[in-house]
């Protein structure tokens, strides 16, 4: 039996990933920073739930205790993420971004991911086949944002793509440090969720595809990669 924790799984890509992994036979913990939203989502899915705010040490420590008491962890999906938006739905470009906006974005997308991964390492190390999936973005790619004509090139925001580039770096360094684990960064693609005011062009079913696939890699599967549904992406 494979036990999987997905952060930010009360809605969006995390919720759909939970649905698919339960169908594939995983025991899934829906991580949610709001206990009630998590409980309701887990009830709809037939999942377990655990309160987990990735920005909060005490919340993460309590989640580790709960998951350990439940039997341990094999797969961690670091999915929780935020993207700051203006009232008109636009993102904050280079002339508008502030240190505070960068800090807030990194607090969830980068420091939160590291906090959760670090806290669950002891449980993952006890698994016979530990897997970590870091939900990155196509906007993390320095090649993408500097290649005229690519979808990422036109995106003017600073904090969100910088945070996801950091996620890619964290992924690579963790993968090198823990060769017994499969640790990969994935790009779901532009998906209609609350993150982007539902402007994404893909469904959550399409977006969750690569998250679900990389959550199921075996001990001989890839590690240290950055992939979307069609294969490896340029860094
Ligand atoms: N949608 C896209 O086009 C797209 C493309 C590439 C990558 N991604 C990435 O995919 C991931 C999922 O995003 P989504 O599109 O599904 O967005 P979403 O529907 O807004 O879901 C984001 C999830 O993260 C949770 N979250 C935010 N801050 C948190 C915190 N401090 N602690 C715990 N959970 C927290 C949210 O919880 P609440 O409900 O409590 O806010 C929600 O469950 C993110 O990492 C995002 O960057 C999305």
């Amino acid at each position: 039996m494979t036990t999987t924790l997905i952060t930010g799984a009360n809605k969006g890509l995390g919720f759909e990933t939970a649905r698919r992994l339960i169908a594939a036979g995983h025991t899934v913990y829906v991580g949610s920073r709001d206990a009630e939203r998590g409980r309701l989502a887990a009830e709809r899915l037939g999942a377990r739930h655990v309160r987990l705010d990735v920005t909060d040490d005490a919340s993460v420590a309590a989640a580790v205790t709960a998951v350990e008491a439940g039997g341990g962890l094999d797969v961690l999906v670091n999915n929780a993420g935020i993207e700051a938006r203006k009232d008109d739905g636009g993102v904050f470009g280079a002339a508008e971004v502030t240190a505070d906006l960068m800090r807030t974005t990194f607090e969830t997308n980068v420091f939160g991911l590291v906090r959760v991964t670090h806290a669950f390492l002891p449980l993952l190390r006890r698994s016979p086949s530990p897997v970590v999936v870091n939900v990155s973005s196509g906007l993390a790619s320095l090649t993408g944002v500097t290649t005229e004509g690519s979808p990422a090139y036109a995106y003017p925001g600073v904090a969100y793509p910088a945070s996801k580039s950091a996620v890619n770096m964290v992924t690579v360094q963790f993968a090198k440090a823990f060769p017994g684990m499969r640790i990969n960064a994935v790009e779901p693609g532009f998906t209609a969720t609350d993150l982007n005011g539902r402007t994404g062009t893909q469904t959550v079913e399409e977006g969750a595809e690569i998250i679900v696939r990389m959550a199921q890699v075996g001990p001989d599967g890839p590690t240290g990669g950055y992939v979307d549904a069609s294969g490896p992406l340029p860094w």
Side-chain angles (χ1 to χ4, degrees):
M1 186 60 97
T2 302
T3 302
T4 299
L5 166 65
I6 306 167
T7 64
N10 53 286
K11 66 178 183 182
L13 289 163
F15 182 91
E16 176 60 16
T17 300
R19 193 182 69 73
R20 297 269 291 280
L21 290 175
I22 290 165
H26 288 212
T27 297
V28 170
Y29 282 91
V30 166
S32 171
R33 61 177 158 176
D34 181 90
E36 186 58 9
R37 283 200 288 274
R39 190 188 66 75
L40 288 172
E43 200 173 277
R44 283 172 60 201
L45 289 161
R48 300 180 184 187
H49 60 96
V50 63
R51 200 184 88 73
L52 197 165
D53 181 337
V54 303
T55 65
D56 184 84
D57 281 328
S59 161
V60 173
V64 171
T65 302
V67 172
E68 184 171 24
L73 189 69
D74 304 292
V75 180
L76 170 63
V77 180
N78 284 310
N79 166 76
I82 58 168
E83 182 187 30
R85 298 228 165 217
K86 300 189 234 176
D87 290 342
D88 66 2
V91 295
F92 294 87
E96 301 148 325
V97 71
T98 60
D100 278 345
L101 183 68
M102 292 290 286
R103 192 178 296 114
T104 305
T105 305
F106 273 60
E107 193 58 64
T108 298
N109 296 3
V110 185
F111 310 150
L113 179 148
V114 172
R115 178 180 289 108
V116 171
T117 307
H118 178 77
F120 280 97
L121 274 178
L123 300 198
L124 289 167
R125 286 173 125 158
R126 275 181 238 150
S127 166
S129 185
V131 172
V132 177
V133 181
N134 292 331
V135 181
S136 179
S137 165
L139 297 171
S141 169
L142 292 173
T143 306
V145 296
T146 54
T147 302
E148 242 176 291
S150 86
Y153 186 85
Y155 178 93
V158 178
Y160 180 79
S163 75
K164 295 298 188 176
S165 298
V167 165
N168 281 2
M169 181 62 80
V170 168
T171 301
V172 166
Q173 296 301 72
F174 270 65
K176 281 158 50 185
F178 302 109
M181 299 186 192
R182 308 293 90 187
I183 305 177
N184 292 286
V186 303
E187 138 73 329
F190 190 37
T191 306
T193 65
D194 289 348
L195 186 94
N196 48 42
R198 311 221 158 234
T199 56
T201 49
Q202 291 188 139
T203 63
V204 282
E205 287 82 1
E206 291 167 320
E209 172 63 32
I210 190 62
I211 310 175
V212 170
R213 196 189 308 164
M214 298 312 283
Q216 296 182 91
V217 294
D220 298 326
T223 192
Y226 170 43
V227 294
D228 72 3
S230 53
L233 294 170
W235 296 105

